[in-house]
Amino acid sequence: MSGQRKSMLSGGIAKQALKDSFMKLNPAVMMKNPVMFVVEVGTFVVLLMVLFPSYFHTEGRIGFNLTVFLILLFTVLFANFAEALAEGRGKAQADTLKKSKKDTTANKIVGGEIKVVSSAELRKGDVVIVSQGEMIPGDGEVIEGLASVDESAITGESAPVIKEAGGDFSSVTGGTRVVSDQIKVMIKSDPGESFLDRMISLVEGAARQKTPNEIALNTLLTTLTLIFLIVVVTLAPIAKHFGISLDIPVLISLLVCLIPTTIGGLLSAIGIAGMDRVTQFNVLAMSGKAVEASGDINTIILDKTGTITLGNRMASQFIPVGDADYEETAYWAAVSSVKDETPEGRSVLELVKKQSMEVHPEAAAAGEFIEFKAETRMSGIDLVDGRHVRKGAVDAVKRWVQAQGGSIPADLDMESDKIASEGGTPLAVAVDSRIYGLIHLKDTVKPGMKERFDQLRQMGIKTIMCTGDNPLTAATIAREAGVDDFIAESKPEDKIAVIRREQAEGKLVAMTGDGTNDAPALAQADVGLAMNSGTAAAKEAANMVDLDSDPTKIIEVVAIGKQLLMTRGALTTFSIANDVAKYFAIIPAMFMAAIPEMNVLNVMKLGSPLSAILSALIFNAVIIPLLIPLAMKGVAYKPISSSRLLSRNLLIFGLGGVIAPFIGIKLIDLVVHLWI
Amino acid sequence: MDILQICIVIFVLLLLVKPVGTYVYHMFSNEPNRTDRIFGGVERVLYRIIGLKQRGSMNWKKYALSMIATNIFLVAISYILLRTMGALPGNPSGIGNMEASLSFNTVISFMTNTNLQHYSGESGMSYFSQMIVITMMMFTSAASGLAIAIAFMRGITRRGEGLGNFFEDFIKAHVRLFVPLALIVTLVLVGLKVPQTLEPMRAVQTLGGGVQQIPLGPVASLESIKHLGTNGGGFFGVNSAHPFENPSPLTNVIEILSMWTISASLPYTFGRFARNKKQGWMIFSVMMTLFVAFLCLTYFSEKAGNPLINQLGINSSAGSMEGKEVRFGIAQSALFTTVTTAATTGSVNNMHDTLTPLGGLAPLAEMMLNVVFGGKGVGFVNMIMYAILGVFICGLMVGRTPEFLGRKIEAREMKLIAVAILMHPFIILAPTAISFMTHLGTDAFSNPSYHSLSQSLYEFTSSAANNGSGFEGLADNTVFWNVSTGLVMLLGRYISIIALLAVAGSLAVKQKVAETPGTFRTDNKLFAGILTGTVLLIGALTFLPVLVLGPVAEFLTLN
């Protein structure tokens, strides 16, 4: 799907956005953005002066007024374009989703008989049968059967997933296709409320509401706009007293330059683009608020298995016992695993290969494989020469050896306890009545996790690992992975308790989960990321769903949330800092005619008063499209401490915001002055 | 020598900040401490007299309402007394009743801790009015302001405890701070030859042979609270430039420190409340940095003298001495001017109207920002408002929604701050513009050029910031100026106080956010820089155009 998305950014979106930027000129729409609305009103006033110069007595300045009008118009259009462009990406994505939402037929079971109906007629509680090759007609739960389902329409992942009745893999999504077998599905959503419907409205931006921080920032921007309105309106009568007449277009120019148009024009684009970045990451955020909250996260609760560790236990070492030597132990361990297709079995062979030992267990391949059974708790191979090779739980192997009259090496228990105390699982290897040694199975931490947790710590985020393991095992893994804290032998209730405890300390907590018993904790957490493979209950409770079902993604989501807030702050700072240079361009220009001494303040040595005003206005307009890429991509985020992050951004956007317009306005003036 | 004098005063202030700040903290922390033994008895009697049985903590609405109700009561009494003082006792010089619009202006002026005086004390006030109305309001308005600042501190640093009890704070401010200090300062001033008498004006034979009326009165007692309470209304029309109000450089320094110390100590008190002294010092350092910058501007501008007079070949090595007292010179005048407008006292020991253009820009700018130490409490509260703004804008840049002192800054706080931050430029710029649109305004200007803008702007800025000093060239005792400045003073004080108390009330009930290495720190040098930047950017950008057309244009055309 990511390939598709890239192509979406091409000409089509830009063309649509261009059209939308004109549609958005509608004052009723514009009113939602007070800063740009003021610019639009100003544009309209100048337009009137251009159209009816005799009424306003501005016959001599039509050229200048027309130029001001055009620059103002473009300022508004640029801001609209930024918003439309951000929205366009989501809309294009929604279109592809809508394609999978076409009405399909459903085989509804009515009183034991199958009746073919339209999927739009299905209601909560209906039961349908879906066979190979058919589209699942709506969100629901598998109540009978097992099937592999192609969910690529939603997740972009082409490999089919297994769905079966009962357990954590029973939920199915409308619009996905059954590729093998047949299942009976109970529908769980009414038309228009399905997961796909919600997803479409989310990416389309239809359900977009202003986030709390956006509202607060908007208040600030509106206040600044009002303050500058007061400044400009009161300036006219005072200046008049001193014989300086300020034309309305000049005052409007000053106003537009001073009010925070840069951030005002880009604010909603930043928000939409932030949501979009989350979506592109294949995570579906139910609200912008959730994305914002993820930037504030102080604590992340992670499941050990599948998130921090690979989840399967891997052989890490062979330990000979009694008078066996290392080579022998490794050899028999390998022989016992030749035909063992479990991850544990394969990891034994890999370990042997890695240690490049001279063992060739392939010779034993002709033997008969003995499968692992819950009663025996052993697996192995019966060789052609009549020898029986077994590996399995230590006590099971001990009993098996004793039953054949063998003796137990004295150091076996000691070695196996040592492995257990380190958090590993010991497997004994035996041939007939002799125990050769142990295989140390270890839960391995995913590569790169330690570095990520270090980064999180620098960002001030604490990680807590949840595991069903005993405290000893948990401590070992926690140490290896570098998490800050862990909960051993954890039950689902423990997660809620930990979340509540952290929240009571004033912390914001994020967690991932997929099972139905995770649902309460997902709902309690400030940011809950559910796996798409998980149950409907989990997805319902969470405020984000990861379509790839990769729990480690919560870390990236936090980074995206932070990036969104940083971009907002950076552009606000930039926008306000810009005013210094604009003042130095416009103030001397306004008063220079009456007070020639004002030229001292013309530090940029701008060509003429008119070119100074136009240059400041042009800079004010073009800075918006120039910053669109930054608004869409977000400010580069590095996991460093807040003080360093602040100094860095303050230098770039604060100091840069003061200096950049001085250079920009001067350069524009060099060009503009050629005409004026 | 000049610089040394200034440095000594600043050094003494630095020595006083910590003990005074600590004392104020103990006064209002409501935890038992040693001062209870000295003052507790008096306070209990007062509580009994006013019937204050339960001294429970109030929420912000109740606190604000109690403060306003108390002020309205005092305003009503004072208005009646001023309108009838001709018939009241304590009037040996036989002064008549005050005119209605002037009485309106005067009571508002004193209740709002502004002390803008459109009357002249020696000819317009009886001794009774000076003592019962003027001096009383000087105490109560200062105590009201201090109580507000303390309530605000409690709100943003404590959780779920309310803002305290207004009446208790109000009484404590009098009993433990203003009355004892005023007593001490009065005695010191009397010792330094400031008159304190109830005798009428004295007629003396001058050397020229004529007879001159020398006004006297209870000057020292008014003088002490005038500065301690950052009030600024003088006993005489020329205020602290008068030799009876401020006879020597030593009394000048005492008056400077009296008005400066409590305001300058409040950041330290705040540091104690926040249990983070660094936080307090950070705010103090920002105030001091801005102060020193403005002081330098005034001092060096005045020292350079008036270019037009310099051109005449007149020896100007002493600087621009027009409107200044020879016994103070440039250094003590510049320091007094910068302190009185920083601490929004408004007393003057030289005429601000005759300051050089840039020398006059500094006091104007200090009142426009209204955060450089500031009057009783208000400056501090305003500075915190800017800190919240700074946190809001820059806090986002660390990738978190903004928080200050562990509390999230959200839409509600921003809306309330919007009211406060919008009100200040509005009540300065709008009436200034109006004064230029009508003869009622322009007739008062005694200067035709850009200086007239400075005059009008100064008048309204001084009213809005509740400072009270005037560019005395303005003929301001007219209905237009009395009413307009009266309204500006009212709005300038109460709107922002209510809005900011509401901010404190809202923060007080918020869940505290845990502090982690990812938290945006507000007690370090970097934030001091951000705060200074926010004050200058938001404050300066608002007033730059009028300042350019007023003092800056005057300066440029003068050279």
Side-chain angles (χ1 to χ4, degrees), chain A residues 399-657:
Chain A
R399 245 177 288 125
W400 181 74
V401 167
Q402 277 165 338
Q404 297 174 78
S407 63
I408 309 299
D411 54 351
L412 178 72
D413 283 344
M414 195 188 77
E415 292 292 347
S416 78
D417 285 352
K418 207 168 115 197
I419 292 172
S421 73
E422 284 168 22
T425 309
L427 287 187
V429 178
V431 180
D432 292 331
S433 59
R434 180 176 175 197
I435 296 182
Y436 277 83
L438 296 164
I439 304 170
H440 183 164
L441 289 183
K442 229 173 154 180
D443 202 355
T444 35
V445 173
K446 281 187 186 171
M449 288 314 280
K450 199 173 169 62
E451 289 73 34
R452 289 178 114 175
F453 292 138
D454 283 342
Q455 287 179 359
L456 286 175
R457 203 165 301 119
Q458 285 190 321
M459 288 151 65
I461 296 172
K462 181 172 136 186
T463 41
I464 301 179
M465 177 182 86
C466 271
T467 170
D469 293 341
N470 62 55
L472 226 54
T473 312
T476 310
I477 298 281
R479 204 168 44 240
E480 248 172 65
V483 294
D484 298 300
D485 203 353
F486 65 88
I487 315 159
E489 289 165 356
S490 84
K491 297 178 284 300
E493 310 87 84
D494 293 343
K495 272 190 198 166
I496 298 201
V498 174
I499 293 172
R500 292 222 173 103
R501 189 188 73 205
E502 294 284 317
Q503 284 174 338
E505 285 172 24
K507 291 178 178 170
L508 269 75
V509 186
M511 73 161 281
T512 58
D514 51 9
T516 300
N517 51 21
D518 282 333
L522 281 170
Q524 177 73 34
D526 300 282
V527 173
L529 179 64
M531 303 295 105
N532 190 47
S533 60
T535 59
K539 281 196 265 184
E540 199 65 44
N543 45 19
M544 289 189 201
V545 176
D546 178 19
L547 301 175
D548 295 339
S549 305
D550 171 8
T552 51
K553 269 200 200 161
I554 187 82
I555 298 170
E556 273 83 10
V557 171
V558 168
I560 292 176
K562 285 195 178 293
Q563 205 185 19
L564 169 70
L565 294 169
M566 265 168 48
T567 311
R568 241 180 237 158
L571 289 183
T572 308
T573 309
F574 185 82
S575 193
I576 296 174
N578 267 239
D579 279 3
V580 177
K582 291 177 192 162
Y583 260 133
F584 274 104
I586 297 186
I587 296 267
M590 284 197 308
F591 302 142
M592 216 135 65
I595 314 168
E597 290 91 343
M598 282 286 169
N599 201 25
V600 183
L601 296 181
N602 182 8
V603 287
M604 283 177 271
K605 303 277 166 259
L606 302 179
S608 72
L610 288 188
S611 80
I613 293 169
L614 289 181
S615 304
L617 210 51
I618 291 174
F619 177 84
N620 191 56
V622 295
I623 196 73
I624 297 177
L626 286 180
L627 288 174
I628 288 180
L630 184 69
M632 300 285 244
K633 266 206 334 252
V635 173
Y637 176 70
K638 284 197 185 115
I640 45 177
S641 77
S642 64
S643 298
R644 282 177 56 205
L645 202 59
L646 181 64
S647 322
R648 185 169 155 268
N649 285 333
L650 216 50
L651 202 67
I652 299 175
F653 298 99
L655 194 62

Side-chain angles (χ1 to χ4, degrees), chain A residues 274-318:
Chain A
M275 283 281 278
D276 193 50
R277 273 202 299 283
V278 176
T279 319
Q280 293 208 32
F281 206 61
N282 246 0
V283 172
L284 198 60
M286 296 302 160
S287 68
K289 199 177 163 185
V291 179
E292 217 167 67
S294 59
D296 283 344
I297 290 304
N298 303 100
T299 307
I300 299 183
I301 298 178
L302 295 162
D303 277 325
K304 186 200 78 173
T305 310
T307 307
I308 296 172
T309 64
L310 288 166
N312 28 37
R313 295 168 173 257
M314 314 281 260
S316 70
Q317 211 187 346
F318 301 116

Side-chain angles (χ1 to χ4, degrees), chain A residues 28-140:
Chain A
V29 179
M30 213 64 196
M31 206 107 87
K32 285 181 200 144
N33 184 342
V35 182
M36 294 318 291
F37 182 68
V38 167
V39 182
E40 190 176 34
V41 172
T43 314
F44 183 70
V45 171
V46 181
L47 175 66
L48 287 181
M49 302 185 89
V50 173
L51 294 180
F52 310 105
S54 55
Y55 182 80
F56 293 97
H57 308 292
T58 53
E59 289 94 338
R61 317 197 61 171
I62 295 184
F64 175 75
N65 290 356
L66 184 66
T67 318
V68 171
F69 163 71
L70 287 175
I71 302 171
L72 291 179
L73 180 66
F74 272 101
T75 312
V76 183
L77 286 176
F78 286 148
N80 287 351
F81 182 71
E83 194 182 74
L85 201 60
E87 284 171 351
R89 300 213 294 191
K91 275 194 186 126
Q93 205 182 337
D95 287 341
T96 44
L97 285 172
K98 275 179 190 159
K99 281 185 196 135
S100 43
K101 218 202 131 217
K102 277 188 218 114
D103 265 5
T104 49
T105 51
N107 306 317
K108 187 175 159 191
I109 302 179
V110 187
E113 274 175 48
I114 292 176
K115 199 176 148 193
V116 179
V117 298
S118 158
S119 61
E121 287 170 31
L122 292 174
R123 293 287 180 278
K124 232 182 248 181
D126 288 350
V127 177
V128 294
I129 285 194
V130 192
S131 312
Q132 189 171 339
E134 286 177 350
M135 193 88 90
I136 297 175
D139 292 0

